[in-house]
Each structure stands twice: as C-alpha cells, then as structure tokens.
Amino acid sequence: AQECQNLELEKQKRMERIRQKRAQLQELILQQIAFKSLVQRNQASEASSQAPPPPGSVIQLPFIILNTSVRTVIDCSISNDKCEYLFNFDNTFEIHDDIEILKRMGMSLGLENGKCSPENLRVAKSLVPKSLETYVTGMASGSTHTSSLSGLCGDQDC
Amino acid sequence: RSRILVSIGESFGISSSDKFSKINQMVSSSDWTLKRGYDGGSAPKPLKRL
Amino acid sequence: RQQALQKEVSELTRAEDKLDELIAKCNLQLRLLTEDSQNKKLGYVMCQDLRNTVDPPDQLVMVVRAPPETQMEVSEPSDGYQISLKSARGPIEVFLCPED
C-alpha cells in the first residue's frame, strides 16, 4: 500500500511536469512558426516591391511595445548616454513583447488558440521539422489539451 | 509599493510574456481615481510627447 | 495495482524524456533561425503592423529596443506608475510609432 501511495504521488508529479513542458514546447513551436511566417512575408513583399522598405518605417526584432491612451501624460527623463530612462505615467498602459505582437498579427496562423484553418495547418506543418508535425496538428485542433498520455506528449507512439 | 523587475532586450524567443502579463494586470487593477487625485472635472494635463 | 502504477510511471518517464529532447531541439532551432544573418535582416515589423494590433488604434504606441540584459522595473509610487530602464551594454532606443 505504501509503495502504491509513493507511485501515485510520483505519477501526479510527472504528469504536472509533462503538462508544463508541453506548454513550453507549444510556445517554442509557435515562436518558430511566427518568426518564419514574418520572414517569408517580408521576403515576399520586398520581392514584389523590388526594394527594401524605407529604414524609418521598420522596427527590427527584438523589441517591446508600450501602449497607452493619447490622453496619458508621460514625464520622461533620459540620461545623456541614453542608457537610463525614467518614465512617469498618470494613466494605465500595457506592455507587450514582440512574440505577442507577431501572434496578434496572425503570424502564428491561429495555432495559439486552436483556430487554424486547413490551409494554415498545411503552411504551419511546412514550417516545422517532421518530428513536430504531429504536435502542430494537435495544436491546430486544440486536442493536445487532453490529459491522456498520448495527448500529453503529443505524439502517437507515446 | 508593488514592483516588478524584468530583463528585456534578449533575442527573439526568450519570452518574458508572463512577466508582462503580470505588469499589465498590476497596472490595470489599480484604482486610478485615487491615483490621479481625480476631482471629477479636472482634465489631464496637456500631453508631453517624447 | 502496484504493477499497473509502475508501468504508468515508466511510460510517463519516457514521455517526459521525449519532451525534454524536443524542447532542447526547438530551442536550438529557434536560436539558429534568429541568428541567421538573412533572417536577422528580414525579421522586422512595419509601424502599420503595430498600429493594427493595438485597440483602439489611435493609442500612443511607444517602441523600446534595448541591448540584452537591460533591466526594466515597473513600480507603483503613490501617484501613477513609474517605469525605469537601465542598460549596461549600450544605449536604449525609445521612439513613438507614428499614427499614420
């Protein structure tokens, strides 16, 4: 009985760690797909316009953005060497990193919320190595949220 | 005083998204009327652009 | 029951090892991808892309491009909010994304 109790505990701990690692792997897959989609989009638009975009109109990765109402008062102090900034806001704001922005731009093809069209699924699978294709299929249909063993580790031979 | 520290500038893929969600939660959950000393009619001061 | 549990735990161990292997592979792939010089050049968004992702679109959008290991601290003094940025590896770029 004691042995069973220990094994039951071990089983719960492992399942929780697998859940966390699956989420981590999904995020990595999303980032890989989002980055490749962005590069492909920019490559196609530069090819069609026969020229790179004007330097002032592009924002190179990595970046973060901070958005707030136009009515917000922002007091800003900057050190001479531009290595230190201090901002005081009198209103709410939001901070997002580039990964979040790419997802909002649709670069992760709807995989982040399980709403991926068949065409987007085909594109997404072409952007990842073969060993991850079953994962991408599971993410597209949101089916990797099961607690079954195969659902947990995302591929059938588990 | 709540305070959140996060390291930024890392290459793409080293995600701090969960830290930013905590910051956004902290900021949006505060009661701004108290903060601004809001007395009803006072419009915010003229905006200072960077 | 003990044998059944033992079998389940060993299957979970295998599944976890497989995930560790895939995560390590993905991290390496992503790093190689983002460090490739051509991809570095093509890894950009347009100002309009940023505008399209904020709601309402007429918000003020501030872009921060910082060197690695820049420390950002968000604190809540008595009135309003304070954000401090400190870089030990070069200047920080901060600019507003134009409205149009």
Side-chain angles (χ1 to χ4, degrees):
Chain A
Q2 183 62 41
E3 177 72 6
C4 281
Q5 207 172 359
N6 296 343
L7 284 169
E8 191 58 53
L9 216 55
E10 173 69 13
K11 177 185 157 188
Q12 293 312 320
K13 270 192 238 168
R14 281 199 182 272
M15 285 185 92
E16 183 45 38
R17 275 210 305 271
I18 285 176
R19 230 181 296 281
Q20 286 164 10
K21 288 179 178 178
R22 189 174 44 76
Q24 185 187 354
L25 180 62
Q26 282 190 19
E27 181 61 20
L28 284 168
I29 292 171
L30 283 179
Q31 290 170 15
Q32 192 174 131
I33 289 173
F35 185 80
K36 282 185 176 177
S37 304
L38 179 74
V39 166
Q40 282 185 358
R41 179 200 77 161
N42 293 340
Q43 209 157 24
S45 65
E46 286 190 17
S48 64
S49 59
Q50 304 286 320
S57 67
V58 302
I59 294 148
Q60 217 66 41
L61 267 58
F63 62 85
I64 62 171
I65 73 155
L66 209 148
N67 55 287
T68 183
S69 155
V70 282
R71 295 166 60 80
T72 300
V73 177
I74 305 174
D75 286 325
C76 171
S77 329
I78 309 175
S79 65
N80 291 332
D81 60 1
K82 293 182 125 184
C83 288
E84 288 194 45
Y85 286 71
L86 189 63
F87 299 102
N88 280 298
F89 287 76
D90 81 335
N91 198 347
T92 56
F93 57 80
E94 283 186 349
I95 302 181
H96 297 290
D97 61 7
D98 39 22
I99 299 163
E100 175 64 24
I101 296 301
L102 293 196
K103 287 175 187 172
R104 290 184 181 199
M105 286 166 59
M107 291 294 144
S108 43
L109 306 170
L111 286 167
E112 70 279 7
N113 46 29
K115 293 184 185 114
C116 182
S117 67
E119 171 52 21
N120 275 350
L121 174 56
R122 189 191 60 75
V123 174
K125 284 166 79 170
S126 69
L127 294 175
V128 297
K130 218 136 192 59
S131 59
L132 295 173
E133 280 189 12
T134 45
Y135 249 92
V136 172
T137 309
M139 288 164 74
S141 56
S143 70
T144 50
H145 297 290
T146 61
S147 59
S148 74
L149 200 57
S150 61
L152 270 179
C153 70
D155 65 352
Q156 311 319 323
D157 69 4
C158 244
Chain B
R1 270 180 51 147
S2 34
R3 157 202 311 258
I4 297 182
L5 204 55
V6 55
S7 179
I8 61 173
E10 311 311 331
S11 62
F12 179 84
I14 299 179
S15 171
S16 321
S17 300
D18 47 349
K19 281 254 177 153
F20 290 142
S21 334
K22 282 200 186 87
I23 290 172
N24 295 335
Q25 230 158 33
M26 175 176 90
V27 170
S28 61
S29 62
S30 61
D31 177 356
W32 282 90
T33 46
L34 296 182
K35 282 197 178 306
R36 272 179 141 174
Y38 194 69
D39 57 5
S42 74
K45 293 167 278 179
L47 188 67
K48 246 189 242 168
R49 293 262 174 196
L50 279 180
Chain C
R1 188 157 156 265
Q2 189 249 10
Q3 278 167 8
L5 277 168
Q6 208 134 40
K7 183 169 177 294
E8 274 191 86
V9 168
S10 62
E11 276 175 2
L12 286 169
T13 307
R14 209 165 50 76
E16 189 175 0
D17 293 347
K18 184 165 176 72
L19 278 169
D20 289 337
E21 183 196 322
L22 284 173
I23 287 171
K25 239 192 243 175
C26 265
N27 270 315
L28 178 64
Q29 281 159 5
L30 195 59
R31 206 169 68 245
L32 295 175
L33 199 63
T34 51
E35 283 169 6
D36 169 84
S37 55
Q38 181 65 358
N39 288 342
K40 259 194 176 143
K41 210 162 59 70
L42 287 162
Y44 60 77
V45 297
M46 314 295 286
C47 295
Q48 196 49 48
D49 292 324
L50 292 188
R51 283 254 151 249
N52 297 339
T53 62
V54 291
D55 180 30
D58 69 340
Q59 287 202 49
L60 199 88
V61 179
M62 192 192 284
V63 182
V64 177
R65 295 199 69 251
E69 295 163 31
T70 297
Q71 292 306 307
M72 168 188 260
E73 179 183 300
V74 181
S75 58
E76 184 188 6
S78 52
D79 59 333
Y81 267 88
Q82 198 167 73
I83 296 183
S84 80
L85 300 173
K86 278 201 178 82
S87 157
R89 293 172 59 176
I92 304 166
E93 272 179 83
V94 177
F95 50 92
L96 291 183
C97 182
E99 265 105 12
D100 51 12

